[in-house]
Amino acid sequence: MASLPEAFMCPITSELMADPVSTADGFSYEREAITTWLEEHSTSPLTNEPLKHRELIPNMALRSAIQELPEVHPELKQKLCDLLKLLLRLIITMII
């Protein structure tokens, strides 16, 4: 399997991100992972410094780059499909 850029991997889960969001410290995380982290912490998972706010900002540029991976690395297509299915299930759960 091709080596993925570190920026595509969530620093909390070490998994390829499907729904990357940025925090006040400028780092990007998988939405579910950082949401869980922020339920019990008010600090950055990477620096342990206090976050100025808990707002999560969708990282659309990173998401687009990750979604383009199958074109560059076709062997990753199934993994990305699985991640997108998980993301859809999470969104549906949030809506219901």
Side-chain angles (χ1 to χ4, degrees):
M1 180 184 278
S3 177
L4 296 174
E6 188 175 324
F8 289 7
M9 311 303 284
C10 175
I12 297 172
T13 65
S14 299
E15 294 287 327
L16 181 64
M17 291 186 274
D19 187 15
V21 293
S22 296
T23 55
D25 62 0
F27 292 105
S28 291
Y29 307 90
E30 178 62 34
R31 181 183 300 275
E32 183 179 12
I34 191 64
T35 299
T36 300
W37 172 270
L38 292 174
E39 288 173 0
E40 298 185 14
H41 304 86
S42 59
T43 59
S44 165
L46 287 176
T47 66
N48 208 32
E49 294 293 320
L51 292 171
K52 291 182 180 180
H53 59 79
R54 292 183 181 206
E55 180 181 358
L56 300 178
I57 302 158
N59 190 330
M60 302 306 287
L62 181 55
R63 181 186 295 184
S64 294
I66 292 169
Q67 289 175 343
E68 291 174 7
L69 276 174
E71 297 172 19
V72 179
H73 299 286
E75 69 277 11
L76 298 175
K77 189 173 184 173
Q78 185 58 50
K79 175 109 174 139
L80 289 173
C81 286
D82 292 343
L83 285 170
L84 290 173
K85 287 177 189 175
L86 174 63
L87 177 59
L88 284 173
R89 283 195 300 268
L90 290 171
I91 290 171
I92 290 169
T93 303
M94 292 170 62
I95 292 172
I96 296 178

